[in-house]
Amino acid sequence: MTEPHDARQCDAAVSHAFSVLGKRWNGMIVDVLGQGELSFVGLRRAVAGISDAVLSDRLTELSDVGLVVRRVEAGPPVAVTYALTDAGSRLVPILSQLGEWADGNLTRR
């Protein structure tokens, strides 16, 4: 027998996911990091149009929710790289599927 569906719990989880992923640039950052770890400069180059301040904010947010990890390696020179956590890596195919679904099902304005 299946458990009863708790619509409030599902809605809260989906709302939380979209509150993070719905912000401009976050999906693109996750997608880019899905190809491998990058430095801040490498990310800025890969995510065309994003400012340093916004990239820094988004990386902090993605790190706070457990999707991205920041690694600092002692120098000289000091090297800082960003990579996806396991949770972030599991998100990449979901974002790809969501993009494919959106292309086939949503009308563009």
Side-chain angles (χ1 to χ4, degrees):
M1 180 160 64
T2 61
E3 295 292 317
H5 178 72
D6 185 349
R8 290 173 302 194
Q9 184 178 5
C10 179
D11 186 51
V14 170
S15 293
H16 180 60
F18 278 107
S19 74
V20 174
L21 300 174
K23 286 189 179 175
R24 187 171 185 196
W25 308 112
N26 281 358
M28 188 178 286
I29 292 167
V30 170
D31 186 52
V32 166
L33 287 175
Q35 299 168 30
E37 70 178 39
L38 285 171
S39 67
F40 186 89
V41 172
L43 273 167
R44 189 181 64 221
R45 288 183 186 138
V47 182
I50 194 169
S51 71
D52 287 355
V54 172
L55 178 57
S56 180
D57 287 346
R58 295 300 186 259
L59 287 168
T60 298
E61 179 179 26
L62 292 169
S63 178
D64 288 348
V65 298
L67 297 177
V68 170
V69 64
R70 179 179 187 259
R71 296 189 181 126
V72 180
E73 299 200 20
V78 173
V80 178
T81 57
Y82 297 87
L84 293 179
T85 62
D86 288 340
S89 294
R90 287 192 305 271
L91 180 59
V92 172
I94 295 168
L95 289 177
S96 178
Q97 288 176 336
L98 183 60
E100 290 172 15
W101 175 85
D103 280 344
N105 295 283
L106 296 179
T107 304
R108 293 192 187 263
R109 294 183 198 182

